[in-house]
Amino acid sequence: IFPNLETSTHCVGYTWQDGTDSDLFKGNGLYDISLRNTVNKGYYKSIPGAPLCACIEQMPIVEKADCRQVSAGQVKYTFSHDAATGQISGITSVNIQYEDCAND
């Protein structure tokens, strides 16, 4: 498409299954591939004429793409009460793991 401008490209997608942890934390999966994983590997630009991030229907055809998935541990809820003010606060925490998809 662009003579003498070919460079290495890297394509990554992510997957989730409805009703699972991967569905609940799919926004975290998007973060993993679009910002954290991409920046850590030095990938900063999109393919000319293609979006940096989009649904599969909008992406160009590629020969090979990596895949990432999200899994999560148990969600922990912590609540505290300030007797002086009557204020109640809560914190939600979970351990999230990012990993390569299985090569099925």
Side-chain angles (χ1 to χ4, degrees):
I1 297 176
F2 300 96
N4 302 320
L5 293 178
E6 291 185 19
T7 61
S8 297
T9 57
H10 184 80
C11 184
V12 173
Y14 71 107
T15 184
W16 67 89
Q17 186 175 9
D18 290 341
T20 66
D21 284 346
S22 63
D23 184 25
L24 182 61
F25 297 106
K26 62 187 164 203
N28 296 74
L30 179 60
Y31 159 76
D32 177 56
I33 66 166
S34 66
L35 182 61
R36 187 178 69 90
N37 198 29
T38 302
V39 170
N40 288 344
K41 292 185 177 183
Y43 307 131
Y44 297 105
K45 298 179 181 177
S46 61
I47 298 169
L52 182 59
C53 181
C55 293
I56 193 72
E57 298 84 14
Q58 299 167 324
M59 298 302 288
I61 296 171
V62 296
E63 292 178 15
K64 181 181 183 259
D66 288 341
C67 177
R68 302 282 289 168
Q69 61 188 16
V70 176
S71 60
Q74 185 169 348
V75 178
K76 179 181 176 184
Y77 302 96
T78 306
F79 296 95
S80 62
H81 176 255
D82 184 333
T85 65
Q87 184 176 8
I88 299 173
S89 60
I91 298 173
T92 305
S93 60
V94 63
N95 185 20
I96 297 176
Q97 296 84 36
Y98 305 98
E99 56 196 13
D100 293 332
C101 298
N103 292 327
D104 296 341

